[in-house]
Structures are given as C-alpha cells and as structure tokens.
Amino acid sequence: FHGGGWHQFDKDSLTRPVFRHLAGQGHVVMDVAYRLHPEADLIAMVGDAKRAVAWMKANARRYDVDPDQIVVAGGSAGGHLALMAAYTPGHPQLTPACLGDLDASVRAVVAYYPIVDLKSYIAYNDYPTLNLGHFELTSPRGVVPDLVGGLPAQVPERYDLLSPANHASRECPPTLLLQAGHDHVVPLEPVRTLYRKLVAAGVPATYIEYPATEHVFDLVLPHFSPAVLAVWREIDRFLAQVQET
C-alpha cells in the first residue's frame, strides 16, 4: 500500500525497484490502489485494504499464490493501512459488510515508517498547510480530522480505534517495522512503543531503525543506497523466516 498521507499519490509511485527485487525472489506482488481523501475516510480505506486481501485469497490459484502465505506491506500512510488490516482482520467496526465471513487474516506484515498512533502523528506535525508555489504541503491537522471525524479532543475513541498501536496483541501476525532514524514526518517513539508491545505479547516482531535516514528514504536511488539495500536484505530474511514457520 503506497504512502501519501491518505490523500495523494497512487500505486506505482517509485516502488518498482523493490517490487522487481521481490519478484526476483519468487514472490507475487499485488500493488494496491485504495480510495483517498476526500472520497473516503480512514475506516473505508482500511476496508479497501481488507478487500485487497480477500481478493488475493479468492484469486490465489489464478496467480499461483498460497492463500495462507499472504503478507501485507506499506509505507507511511500505507504502512498504517497494512498494520490495520493485519491487526484487525475481523474487527466488526473495521471490516466491510460485503466481506461477510470471509477470512481476511494475513501471514505477516511489513511496515516502512508507519503511522501507528494518530494522536501523536497530529501533535508531531503541528504546522499549517504550506503553499510552496506549484506544490501545497497539506498539514495532517487539515486532513486527519476529516478522515477520523473530528479532532483528538472531540473523538478520542475514534483515534484509538484507528491507531494500530492500540490493536497490538498476541493475535497479531509476525511484524517487521522499518523506521527512518531522522524522520521529520512520523514520530519514532510510537513505533518503538508498538514494537515493545508486540514483543511483550509474544508476537515475532523485528524493529530496525536506520540512522541518518529520512522519511521515504527507500524510494530515493534504491540501487545505490546502502540503507535501502540493507532493508531489502532484512525483508528477504523476514519473509524466509515467515515461510519456514
């Protein structure tokens, strides 16, 4: 699931290098386009992520996929959706009615610099929307309340419901968290806290923080970046371990 703050970009946004790498390792990659703000809110986007999982399971034979070995992955906002889909497969408030009793569970999840706590994310990005000429940098304070249904003080329970960190439990699948060490978009401590919660619950989890890296570091010159090549090796190792267990 691609990033973009839930309101911009699309699938196939600088992700082909890692997809080619994964395909070269024998994996099947499904690049997902989910609905964005203002067309959809966060609950609808989580539903889109689960529909993608259900679709792949229904079409597994067509693509020579093992339906019991599906792994969801994403970066930034896409990392948030991947974690939400992985951690709440049958949650009644977060699962589309059209899925019925279909199994939307996954084997594992990989998240690059994910947004795991929406309250902390808004507090960390407390700046107004900036007009940079031909480009407008939209503040999370201008988008997230629309996606959730209000500010944290107004609907705190919805922020809790839509934050992956609040769904960490022993039922969560194996998790790989890949974090930029100098991330100016996503706060580090909530991601570290999520990792500690998973470990405490007995979930096989790995957290790797790459020093001197910024948000979306994996999308810039991936074939020449030592950090990106290290990330690819960690993903290969993680997926191999998941498949063996």
Side-chain angles (χ1 to χ4, degrees), residues 38-225:
E39 180 183 358
D41 62 12
L42 273 186
I43 288 181
M45 293 180 199
V46 173
D48 287 349
K50 293 182 180 183
R51 287 188 185 93
V53 173
W55 187 93
M56 180 54 81
K57 289 195 173 190
N59 291 272
R61 182 173 297 180
R62 177 181 176 186
Y63 294 99
D64 195 23
V65 167
D66 182 346
D68 294 323
Q69 291 289 341
I70 293 175
V71 177
V72 286
S76 194
H80 166 271
L81 295 178
L83 290 170
M84 287 297 296
Y87 292 176
T88 67
H91 195 293
Q93 293 177 265
L94 298 169
T95 303
C98 64
L99 294 185
D101 295 327
L102 291 176
D103 178 19
S105 63
V106 297
R107 183 67 186 85
V109 55
V110 178
Y112 289 80
Y113 34 80
I115 298 154
V116 303
D117 182 87
L118 293 174
K119 294 176 184 175
S120 297
Y121 177 61
I122 281 190
Y124 190 70
N125 291 277
D126 189 12
Y127 59 84
T129 294
L130 304 176
N131 191 324
L132 306 177
H134 296 293
F135 179 75
E136 186 175 85
L137 182 61
T138 303
S139 167
R141 279 196 170 272
V143 175
V144 175
D146 286 345
L147 294 170
V148 178
L151 292 167
Q154 298 169 321
V155 286
E157 70 287 347
R158 287 179 68 85
Y159 279 78
D160 292 341
L161 174 68
L162 289 161
S163 293
N166 292 319
H167 297 282
S169 73
R170 63 180 182 179
E171 304 301 324
C172 293
T175 301
L176 175 61
L177 300 169
L178 304 165
Q179 180 61 46
H182 290 79
D183 199 320
H184 284 78
V185 177
V186 171
L188 272 65
E189 194 53 42
V191 187
R192 294 168 177 163
T193 300
L194 170 60
Y195 166 69
R196 291 192 289 266
K197 285 183 176 180
L198 293 170
V199 171
V203 176
T206 301
Y207 172 79
I208 305 175
E209 194 172 297
Y210 295 89
T213 54
E214 183 54 270
H215 201 68
V216 304
F217 73 93
D218 58 302
L219 303 181
V220 181
L221 299 175
H223 293 293
F224 302 96
S225 168

